[in-house]
Every structure is written in C-alpha cells, then in structure tokens.
Amino acid sequence: MKFRPHIAVFLAPAVIVYSAVMIFPLLSTLNLSLFSRIGGERVFVGLENFRTLFGDPRWSASFWNALGNNTWFFVVHMLVQNPIGIALAALLSSPRLRMAAFYRTAIFIPTILSFVIVGFVWKLILSPIWGIAPGMLDAVGLKSLFAPWLGRESSALTTLALISVWQFVGIPMMLIYAALLSIPDEVLEAAELDGITGWSRFWKIQLPLILPAIGIISILTFVGNFNAFDLIYVSQGALAGPNFATDILGTFLYRTFFGFQLQLGDPHMGAAIATAMFVIILIGVSIYLFGIQTRLRRYQF
C-alpha cells in the first residue's frame, strides 16, 4: 500500500492535541498509581495502592459506597432521562405538532447552563427555609408532600439525579429526534398504507430503526454519569452529605487527591481511584461495543 504523507500531515495536529490532553495525562495517572510516598520519598509499590483501596476497610467502605451511589445515579438516568428523551423526540417529530421548534429549544436550554448555576438554583428552590418549592406545592394543595429532600440520606442522591435529568434530558431528545428524521419517508408511507399510524407506528416501525441511536445514548449516559462530579460538589460540597449519602467516585477522588479540611491529599491513592474509574468505564464501553452494538447493526440501513 502506497504511503500518502499528506494524510499524516493532516492528522498530526489532532493526534498531537489528543495525545497531550488525553493520552499523556492517562498514562501519567496510571504511573502515579503505582507509587507511594514513604518517609518523604517516592517509592514504587506496584499494586499495593489497589490492595489498600479494595482491602483496607477504611478505604474499601468509602469506595464501595461511592461506587454504589454512582451506579444508582446512572440507573436513575437510564430509567428516567432516556425514556423521557425518547418520548419527547417522538412527540416533537410529529408533523401535526405546532411550535415544535420552540419546544425543542425550551427543553434543550438547561443543557447549556453551568453546573454551578443549576446546583445553586435548585438548592435555593428546594430549601425548606427560603425555597419556593413549599409555596408551589401549597398552591396546589400538596404541601404535605414537601420534605427537605437534599437533607435526607434516603432522598438526597435521587433528588440530585432527577435535577441532572432535568438539565440533560435535552441531549437524548435531540439525538433521538435526529435519528427519527433520518428514517426514509418511504418506510413511514408503507407503514401508513398498512394501517400502522400514531404510537403504533412508533413502537413497531420507528423504535426498532433507532435502536442503534438509543445504544449510543445509553453508553454516553454511562460514561457521563461515572465521570460526574460538578453537580454533587456544588450542591452538597466535597463531603457529599448528608453523611456521604451523595458521595460518588468523582467526589471521593477529589477528597483523596487534593485533600479536604483536615484531611491531607494523597495523589497516589487518588490516582488509584482514578485508574479504577477508568477500568470501570472501559469495561462498560467494551461490553457495549462488543456485546450490544454488533447485535444492533441488523437494524441499520
């Protein structure tokens, strides 16, 4: 095969930037996790940091708590955000709906807002002291349902997950909307001739054809949720209260790496946690690529 130097020339800028921003930091983190500071000196310890993370009760309890919370954070998004996004896309793709462009814009606007703004505003809204949520529920006769959801261990994480759903539901909506528009008109017209219309057409014709797009949205949701940090940190602080009920891998990594209050930072253990996060995400993406995507290709044109 003849070598074409112009291909290397055009690819070089992107490869250099990607390597500097992604590859080099990743390799540096993996390398940092294999060392530890003993007696003021940096010593190679191999996998000892990982043995401490998974075997020492002081570390493992915090790690598994954060992993469990992170998993629930992801499950809420999968069960609430993505189905709502698909339903909204199906509604907005209907040619009979008026002002569809306005609705798409209104739903997508929270996506471009800063995590700081979203976390701070919702914390004010849900505050039992000066928030507007009690008054709004009282206006419709449901004040008895109000509770300090962000202050309870049983509800704080789910509340933050639903806030995140509100902010990012526009992303799956737009991706599914684009997938629905890419379906050839001939397919829809044939279904209409067979008497398949309305929601029946969506379930029997459109949904199978957009399964690859749904798969991509699912893996993007997985990666995004297991990299989450900002919303939890803004709303509940680095300690992810109450009593670490909202602690996820991102906040656990932050406290370990940089330290917090009287806790000193440990970059080597922090790198071990970051490596564990990388492995978890890599396993999830690999399962999707090799176990799910290959089965979804049969629905593609």
Side-chain angles (χ1 to χ4, degrees):
M1 183 177 178
K2 185 179 179 181
F3 175 72
R4 295 178 173 84
H6 66 279
I7 296 179
V9 172
F10 287 124
L11 287 178
V15 172
I16 292 173
V17 172
Y18 183 79
S19 299
V21 175
M22 299 294 295
I23 303 300
F24 179 73
L26 174 61
L27 295 178
S28 298
T29 301
L30 296 177
N31 178 67
L32 189 63
S33 67
L34 302 178
F35 289 82
S36 184
R37 188 162 294 278
I38 301 176
E41 297 183 359
R42 191 165 179 259
V43 180
F44 179 80
V45 295
L47 301 178
E48 188 61 33
N49 289 331
F50 297 96
R51 296 191 187 96
T52 301
L53 180 63
F54 299 119
D56 190 327
R58 296 174 300 172
W59 287 96
S60 61
S62 298
F63 175 79
W64 292 115
N65 174 65
L67 180 59
N69 290 339
N70 226 145
T71 302
W72 176 246
F73 196 75
F74 164 67
V75 168
V76 171
H77 282 76
M78 284 295 295
L79 296 181
V80 180
Q81 174 184 277
N82 291 350
I84 291 178
I86 295 172
L88 290 173
L91 289 173
L92 294 175
S93 65
S94 174
R96 301 176 183 177
L97 181 66
R98 297 181 179 180
M99 300 178 64
F102 170 78
Y103 296 137
R104 289 198 306 269
T105 303
I107 295 172
F108 192 78
I109 281 178
T111 303
I112 65 177
L113 296 178
S114 166
F115 283 103
V116 177
I117 295 175
V118 172
F120 183 72
V121 168
W122 274 101
K123 195 170 183 178
L124 289 178
I125 291 174
L126 299 177
S127 172
I129 300 176
W130 53 73
I132 63 173
M136 294 177 63
L137 290 175
D138 187 31
V140 294
L142 298 176
K143 188 176 182 179
S144 59
L145 298 179
F146 177 78
W149 294 302
L150 289 177
R152 291 184 174 180
E153 295 183 27
S154 59
S155 60
L157 183 62
T158 303
T159 302
L160 288 173
L162 293 176
I163 292 173
S164 180
V165 166
W166 169 84
Q167 182 179 8
F168 291 109
V169 72
I171 293 179
M173 178 198 71
M174 294 301 295
L175 292 175
I176 295 298
Y177 179 77
L180 290 172
L181 293 183
S182 68
I183 298 176
D185 293 335
E186 294 80 2
V187 175
L188 302 180
E189 291 172 359
E192 189 172 355
L193 290 175
D194 291 337
I196 304 177
T197 59
W199 283 106
S200 179
R201 182 182 68 175
F202 174 77
W203 287 108
K204 296 180 180 180
I205 305 298
Q206 293 175 301
L207 183 61
L209 295 176
I210 64 173
L211 283 179
I214 295 176
I216 293 175
I217 291 171
S218 299
I219 197 62
L220 289 176
T221 302
F222 173 79
V223 174
N225 288 165
F226 274 86
N227 278 319
F229 166 75
D230 310 70
L231 182 62
I232 305 294
Y233 181 78
V234 171
S235 302
Q236 304 296 87
L239 292 178
N243 194 25
F244 301 104
T246 59
D247 194 22
I248 58 177
L249 293 174
T251 51
F252 181 42
L253 166 63
Y254 176 85
R255 290 196 312 274
T256 303
F257 197 102
F258 297 102
F260 186 74
Q261 292 180 348
L262 298 179
Q263 174 184 337
L264 297 177
D266 187 343
H268 301 288
M269 284 302 299
I273 297 171
T275 302
M277 292 173 62
F278 170 74
V279 171
I280 292 170
I281 294 174
L282 180 62
I283 292 174
V285 173
S286 299
I287 292 174
Y288 166 75
L289 291 177
F290 300 106
I292 299 177
Q293 189 180 42
T294 53
R295 299 183 180 182
L296 294 178
R297 287 175 181 169
R298 71 186 65 175
Y299 296 105
Q300 293 179 330
F301 291 102

